[in-house]
Amino acid sequence: METLGSTTVICTDKTGTLTQNRLGVNTVVLSGREYSADDPLVSGATSFQTFLKSMSVCNNAYLTENDGFVGDATEGALLLYARNHADVATLRRVQQIAEQPFNSTTKRMITVADAGDGPQAFLKGAPEVVLDMCDRMALNGDQVPLTEERRADVIQAYRQLAGRGERGLGFAARACGHNEVPEKGYVFLGLTGMIDPPRPEVPDALARCHSAGIRVIMLTGDFGLTAKTIATQIGLMSEKGRVVQGEELSAMTDAQLQEMLRDEPEIIFARIAPRQKLHVVQALQANGEIVTVTGDGVNDAPALKNADMGVAMGVMGTDVAKEASNMVLMDDNFATIVVAVEEGRTIFDNIKKFIAYILTSNIPEILPFIAYVLLEVPLPLTVILILAIDLGTDIIPALGLGAEKPETDVMKRKPRPRSEGLLSRNLLLMSYGIVGMVQAAAGFFTYFTILFSGGWQWGQELAGSNPLYCTAITGFFASIIICQVADVIICRTRTQSLFTVGVFSNKLVLVGIASELLLLACISYIPAFNTFFGTAPLEAWHLILSVPFAVAILIADEVRRLFVRRGNTFVLRWLTW
């Protein structure tokens, strides 16, 4: 999850992730004429019945009794369309002889079947692939040669479908022998245009990615124009964006691909094979990007495995893809990935907040021992009181910081550099060099004020049981607690104002503050605790001595965050942790 939060590039597929995976036939093109899916005139087309038989027989999905289907979404949509015009069971009452299933390399499927009138081969697939396997086409009841002009007309019809965001499929058929799976000589029957509507939440998710400095690249097996139309509709790219086809990608060297990925701000890859996903991922990583990849198929496993973060689809994904990934997306939704990115960034932020708070008290805990050795003063803080801070007062507030909600700008920041760790220079400077020193100053100020007000003189030794000494060390302890209350409050946000996130919004932090003050009260005012910890009751003015230091911590850090938001160069370089 933390890696996902540092992602700079998301390589996502289209179907089911950016779209709803609810395909439906929207358009049919037969004999050079375009019909809408609900147009009753389509049944009058002379090749329509053969067209329906091809989409029904060359199909591995099955209809269910509840008007649904089992199988691939594309094939299921074809059966649902065919059912509206014919009895699918009758169309599929054939003896299947052979089959070559669809795959991402061939981009087509062939089924050889016999309905009692001799073997026939039925073909469906990417229109350009189907056209290359045809030498004739069905036109107005005849089978006519597939001339270059007619081929161009089909391609133009296909491009019109793609320009509307429809996924095109071509269909063909021919007679053949019993032991034959023909690769050529088909009769082109027609096209279907299928629509898979984009997920409504995706445009907003993409906008959040862009504001977060995360680049999104679509890798799809669909036709380039279809992919670009969908990408434009959802805000993934503009009209000026570049589409790279799988064939073009295959012809590129690694250096050329890396250069293109650096120079092209908007790019999608279409008609891409799963093995080419790995090529794109490796090129992005060579450019220094932190890459998250989505995938669902067996062939996606290498890309998922090699990505910095592999995300498999939980609904449509294969077991192999899930095993190769780092995370499984249970709803196959791109917007969920963006939520996970936000969660990853928040986890990293909260760990840093936790560390910043825990480290700060080390300075006021160690400086008393240094002062005891160098200045020859009575030890300002005993070991047992240090343990009370580390094992008592600090635990619950620190846990509260780990449960802090995302800051409002968490998805407006650029991804952090790969080299950035949890213990940064600035975090140590803020914790040890500034806030920790202020806390130590508060402790020493309270300690010496109590000693001098009680008649102590420099160099005078005090016994551990001396009431004045017990009161002074209790004052030092109380100063640390009071300043730690201010510290846990300022650690709740790294850049945003406390008033933006809400002073009382984190209930666990409030419980932590209450527990700190309760323990302070117990150690100061309960006789049994006084005996055990070697402390003494404090007067009200003793407690007030450290309050100005705590207020200074609160105000100074609020000002620091203001300068961070305004982009002050010095503050961004030295005081942003």
Coordinates of all heavy atoms in Angstrom, one line a residue, residues 447-488:
Y447 N 12.1 24.0 35.9 CA 12.9 23.3 36.9 C 13.7 24.3 37.8 O 13.6 24.3 39.0 CB 13.8 22.3 36.2 CG 14.8 21.6 37.1 CD1 14.4 20.6 38.0 CD2 16.2 21.9 37.1 CE1 15.3 19.9 38.8 CE2 17.1 21.3 37.9 CZ 16.7 20.3 38.8 OH 17.6 19.6 39.6
F448 N 14.4 25.2 37.1 CA 15.2 26.2 37.8 C 14.4 27.3 38.5 O 14.8 27.8 39.5 CB 16.2 26.8 36.8 CG 17.4 25.9 36.5 CD1 17.6 25.5 35.2 CD2 18.3 25.5 37.5 CE1 18.6 24.6 34.9 CE2 19.3 24.6 37.2 CZ 19.5 24.2 35.9
T449 N 13.2 27.6 37.9 CA 12.4 28.6 38.5 C 11.9 28.0 39.9 O 11.9 28.8 40.9 CB 11.2 28.9 37.6 OG1 11.6 29.5 36.4 CG2 10.2 29.9 38.3
I450 N 11.5 26.8 39.9 CA 11.0 26.2 41.2 C 12.2 26.1 42.2 O 12.0 26.4 43.4 CB 10.4 24.8 40.9 CG1 9.1 24.9 40.1 CG2 10.2 24.0 42.2 CD1 8.5 23.6 39.6
L451 N 13.4 25.7 41.7 CA 14.5 25.6 42.6 C 14.9 26.9 43.2 O 15.1 27.1 44.4 CB 15.7 25.0 41.9 CG 15.7 23.5 41.5 CD1 17.0 23.1 40.8 CD2 15.5 22.7 42.8
F452 N 15.0 27.9 42.3 CA 15.5 29.2 42.8 C 14.4 29.9 43.7 O 14.7 30.6 44.7 CB 15.8 30.2 41.7 CG 17.1 29.9 41.0 CD1 17.2 29.6 39.6 CD2 18.3 29.9 41.7 CE1 18.4 29.4 39.0 CE2 19.5 29.6 41.1 CZ 19.6 29.3 39.8
S453 N 13.1 29.7 43.4 CA 12.1 30.2 44.2 C 12.0 29.5 45.6 O 11.5 30.1 46.6 CB 10.7 30.0 43.6 OG 10.4 28.7 43.5
G454 N 12.6 28.3 45.7 CA 12.7 27.6 47.0 C 13.9 27.9 47.8 O 14.2 27.2 48.8
G455 N 14.8 28.8 47.3 CA 16.0 29.1 48.0 C 17.2 28.3 47.6 O 18.3 28.5 48.3
W456 N 17.1 27.6 46.6 CA 18.3 26.8 46.1 C 19.4 27.8 45.5 O 19.0 28.7 44.9 CB 17.9 25.8 45.1 CG 19.0 25.0 44.5 CD1 19.7 23.9 45.1 CD2 19.7 25.2 43.2 NE1 20.6 23.4 44.3 CE2 20.7 24.2 43.1 CE3 19.5 26.1 42.2 CZ2 21.5 24.1 42.0 CZ3 20.3 26.0 41.1 CH2 21.3 25.0 41.0
Q457 N 20.6 27.4 45.7 CA 21.7 28.2 45.2 C 22.6 27.3 44.3 O 22.7 26.1 44.5 CB 22.6 28.8 46.3 CG 21.9 29.9 47.1 CD 22.8 30.4 48.2 OE1 23.9 30.0 48.5 NE2 22.3 31.5 48.8
W458 N 23.1 27.9 43.2 CA 23.9 27.1 42.3 C 25.1 26.4 43.0 O 25.8 27.0 43.8 CB 24.5 28.0 41.2 CG 24.9 27.3 40.0 CD1 26.0 26.6 39.8 CD2 24.1 27.0 38.8 NE1 26.0 26.0 38.5 CE2 24.8 26.2 37.9 CE3 22.8 27.4 38.5 CZ2 24.4 25.8 36.7 CZ3 22.3 27.0 37.2 CH2 23.1 26.2 36.4
G459 N 25.2 25.1 42.7 CA 26.2 24.3 43.2 C 25.7 23.5 44.5 O 26.4 22.6 45.0
Q460 N 24.6 23.9 45.0 CA 24.1 23.3 46.2 C 23.5 21.9 45.8 O 22.8 21.7 44.9 CB 23.0 24.1 46.8 CG 22.3 23.5 48.1 CD 21.2 24.3 48.6 OE1 21.0 25.5 48.2 NE2 20.4 23.8 49.5
E461 N 23.9 20.9 46.6 CA 23.4 19.5 46.4 C 22.1 19.3 47.1 O 21.9 19.9 48.2 CB 24.4 18.5 46.9 CG 25.7 18.5 46.1 CD 26.7 17.3 46.5 OE1 26.2 16.5 47.4 OE2 27.8 17.3 46.0
L462 N 21.2 18.5 46.5 CA 19.9 18.2 47.0 C 19.7 16.7 47.1 O 20.0 16.0 46.1 CB 18.8 18.9 46.2 CG 18.7 20.4 46.2 CD1 17.6 20.8 45.2 CD2 18.4 21.0 47.6
A463 N 19.2 16.2 48.2 CA 18.9 14.8 48.3 C 17.7 14.4 47.5 O 16.9 15.3 47.2 CB 18.7 14.5 49.8
G464 N 17.7 13.2 47.1 CA 16.6 12.7 46.3 C 15.2 12.8 46.9 O 14.2 12.9 46.3
S465 N 15.2 12.8 48.3 CA 14.0 12.9 49.0 C 13.6 14.3 49.4 O 12.6 14.5 50.1 CB 14.1 12.0 50.3 OG 15.2 12.4 51.1
N466 N 14.5 15.3 49.1 CA 14.2 16.7 49.4 C 12.9 17.2 48.7 O 12.8 17.0 47.5 CB 15.4 17.6 49.0 CG 15.3 19.0 49.4 OD1 14.4 19.7 49.1 ND2 16.2 19.4 50.3
P467 N 12.0 17.7 49.5 CA 10.7 18.2 48.9 C 10.9 19.2 47.8 O 10.1 19.1 46.8 CB 10.0 18.8 50.1 CG 10.5 18.1 51.3 CD 12.0 17.9 51.0
L468 N 11.9 20.1 47.9 CA 12.1 21.0 46.8 C 12.6 20.4 45.6 O 12.1 20.7 44.5 CB 13.1 22.1 47.3 CG 13.5 23.2 46.2 CD1 12.3 24.0 45.8 CD2 14.6 24.1 46.7
Y469 N 13.5 19.4 45.7 CA 13.9 18.6 44.5 C 12.8 17.8 43.9 O 12.7 17.8 42.7 CB 15.1 17.7 45.0 CG 15.6 16.8 43.8 CD1 16.3 17.4 42.8 CD2 15.3 15.5 43.8 CE1 16.7 16.6 41.7 CE2 15.8 14.6 42.8 CZ 16.5 15.2 41.7 OH 16.9 14.4 40.7
C470 N 12.0 17.2 44.7 CA 10.9 16.4 44.2 C 9.9 17.3 43.4 O 9.4 16.9 42.4 CB 10.2 15.7 45.3 SG 11.1 14.4 46.1
T471 N 9.7 18.5 43.9 CA 8.8 19.4 43.2 C 9.4 19.9 41.9 O 8.7 20.0 40.9 CB 8.5 20.6 44.1 OG1 7.9 20.2 45.4 CG2 7.5 21.6 43.5
A472 N 10.7 20.1 41.9 CA 11.3 20.6 40.7 C 11.3 19.6 39.6 O 11.0 19.9 38.4 CB 12.8 21.0 41.0
I473 N 11.6 18.3 39.9 CA 11.6 17.3 38.9 C 10.2 17.0 38.4 O 10.0 16.7 37.2 CB 12.3 16.0 39.3 CG1 11.6 15.3 40.5 CG2 13.8 16.2 39.7 CD1 12.1 13.9 40.8
T474 N 9.2 17.2 39.3 CA 7.8 17.0 38.8 C 7.5 18.1 37.9 O 6.8 17.9 36.9 CB 6.9 17.0 40.1 OG1 7.3 16.1 41.0 CG2 5.5 16.7 39.6
G475 N 8.0 19.3 38.1 CA 7.7 20.5 37.2 C 8.4 20.2 35.9 O 7.8 20.6 34.8
F476 N 9.6 19.7 35.8 CA 10.2 19.3 34.6 C 9.4 18.3 33.8 O 9.1 18.5 32.6 CB 11.6 18.8 34.8 CG 12.5 18.8 33.6 CD1 13.6 19.7 33.6 CD2 12.3 18.0 32.5 CE1 14.4 19.7 32.4 CE2 13.1 18.0 31.4 CZ 14.2 18.9 31.4
F477 N 8.9 17.3 34.5 CA 8.1 16.2 33.9 C 6.8 16.9 33.3 O 6.4 16.6 32.2 CB 7.8 15.2 35.0 CG 6.8 14.1 34.5 CD1 7.2 13.1 33.7 CD2 5.5 14.2 35.0 CE1 6.2 12.2 33.3 CE2 4.6 13.2 34.6 CZ 4.9 12.2 33.8
A478 N 6.2 17.7 34.2 CA 4.9 18.4 33.7 C 5.1 19.2 32.5 O 4.3 19.3 31.6 CB 4.3 19.2 34.9
S479 N 6.3 19.9 32.4 CA 6.6 20.7 31.2 C 6.6 19.9 30.0 O 6.1 20.3 28.9 CB 7.9 21.5 31.5 OG 7.8 22.4 32.6
I480 N 7.3 18.7 30.1 CA 7.4 17.9 28.9 C 6.0 17.4 28.5 O 5.6 17.4 27.3 CB 8.2 16.6 29.2 CG1 9.7 17.1 29.5 CG2 8.2 15.7 28.0 CD1 10.6 15.9 29.8
I481 N 5.1 17.0 29.4 CA 3.8 16.6 29.1 C 3.0 17.7 28.5 O 2.3 17.5 27.4 CB 3.1 16.1 30.4 CG1 3.8 14.9 31.0 CG2 1.6 15.7 30.0 CD1 4.0 13.7 30.1
I482 N 3.0 18.9 29.0 CA 2.2 20.0 28.5 C 2.7 20.3 27.1 O 1.9 20.6 26.2 CB 2.3 21.2 29.4 CG1 1.6 20.9 30.7 CG2 1.8 22.5 28.7 CD1 1.8 22.0 31.8
C483 N 4.0 20.3 26.8 CA 4.6 20.6 25.5 C 4.3 19.4 24.5 O 4.1 19.7 23.3 CB 6.0 20.9 25.6 SG 6.5 22.5 26.3
Q484 N 4.2 18.2 25.0 CA 3.9 17.1 24.2 C 2.4 17.1 23.7 O 2.1 16.7 22.7 CB 4.1 15.8 24.9 CG 5.6 15.3 24.9 CD 6.1 14.9 23.5 OE1 6.4 15.7 22.7 NE2 6.1 13.6 23.3
V485 N 1.6 17.7 24.6 CA 0.2 17.9 24.1 C 0.2 18.9 22.9 O -0.5 18.6 21.9 CB -0.7 18.5 25.3 CG1 -2.0 19.0 24.8 CG2 -0.8 17.5 26.4
A486 N 0.9 19.9 23.0 CA 1.0 20.8 21.8 C 1.7 20.1 20.7 O 1.2 20.3 19.5 CB 1.9 22.1 22.2
D487 N 2.7 19.3 20.9 CA 3.4 18.6 19.9 C 2.4 17.6 19.1 O 2.5 17.5 17.9 CB 4.6 17.8 20.5 CG 5.5 17.2 19.4 OD1 5.5 17.8 18.3 OD2 6.1 16.2 19.6
V488 N 1.6 16.8 19.8 CA 0.7 15.9 19.2 C -0.3 16.6 18.3 O -0.7 16.1 17.3 CB 0.1 14.9 20.2 CG1 -1.0 15.6 21.0 CG2 -0.5 13.7 19.5

